[in-house]
Amino acid sequence: MAAYFLKISHKMVISLSDICIAVILAFLLYAWWANIRAREYAFHYVKKHCQSLDLQLLDETVAGTQWKISWKNGQFGILRKYEFEFTANGTSRYPGNVIMSPSRNMDIWLSPHQI
């Protein structure tokens, strides 16, 4: 019986379904990585914007709240919206949001706040 196991050929066969699964996993990994990169980019943009207006970004974070598929000027991409909170005087929290276009243009909105 041991001789039977020794005669088995060790050929590797890759089927089309294996290739499809590998491509899908690679795509999901890339999408996850790109999303983390986009969130970090938005965070640094918001932090710089708040510092330039002498505001404090609270919780040191932005939270992704919306994704939209965008098709503009013949280019496909994802329009992302992030929300955050800031303070002007250290006691009150105010909401804000930033919208990132696929070309990394930022549109930021800050709620009216005390100066």
Side-chain angles (χ1 to χ4, degrees):
M1 183 137 182
Y4 174 74
F5 290 113
L6 295 177
K7 293 181 181 179
I8 295 177
S9 175
H10 294 291
K11 291 183 182 178
M12 183 177 212
V13 177
I14 298 176
S15 68
L16 183 59
S17 63
D18 293 337
I19 293 171
C20 289
I21 290 171
V23 168
I24 290 170
L25 287 175
F27 173 76
L28 290 174
L29 184 64
Y30 172 75
W32 175 70
W33 174 75
N35 189 47
I36 289 174
R37 238 177 83 204
R39 190 181 68 78
E40 287 176 359
Y41 187 81
F43 168 72
H44 289 297
Y45 181 82
V46 167
K47 190 172 184 177
K48 281 183 183 180
H49 188 75
C50 285
Q51 287 173 347
S52 72
L53 296 175
D54 200 27
L55 301 172
Q56 180 183 1
L57 177 63
L58 297 176
D59 304 326
E60 291 292 316
T61 189
V62 293
T65 58
Q66 190 175 20
W67 280 17
K68 286 185 182 178
I69 294 175
S70 172
W71 184 270
K72 210 173 207 183
N73 300 329
Q75 288 188 327
F76 169 76
I78 297 175
L79 192 69
R80 294 174 169 94
K81 181 178 179 183
Y82 298 95
E83 293 182 354
F84 58 93
E85 290 184 331
F86 67 94
T87 185
N89 56 14
T91 58
S92 301
R93 295 175 86 95
Y94 300 100
N97 66 52
V98 62
I99 298 173
M100 178 190 295
S101 71
S103 60
R104 303 255 180 185
N105 292 333
M106 300 285 196
D107 183 22
I108 194 163
W109 174 82
L110 300 174
S111 141
H113 54 279
Q114 294 178 349
I115 297 177

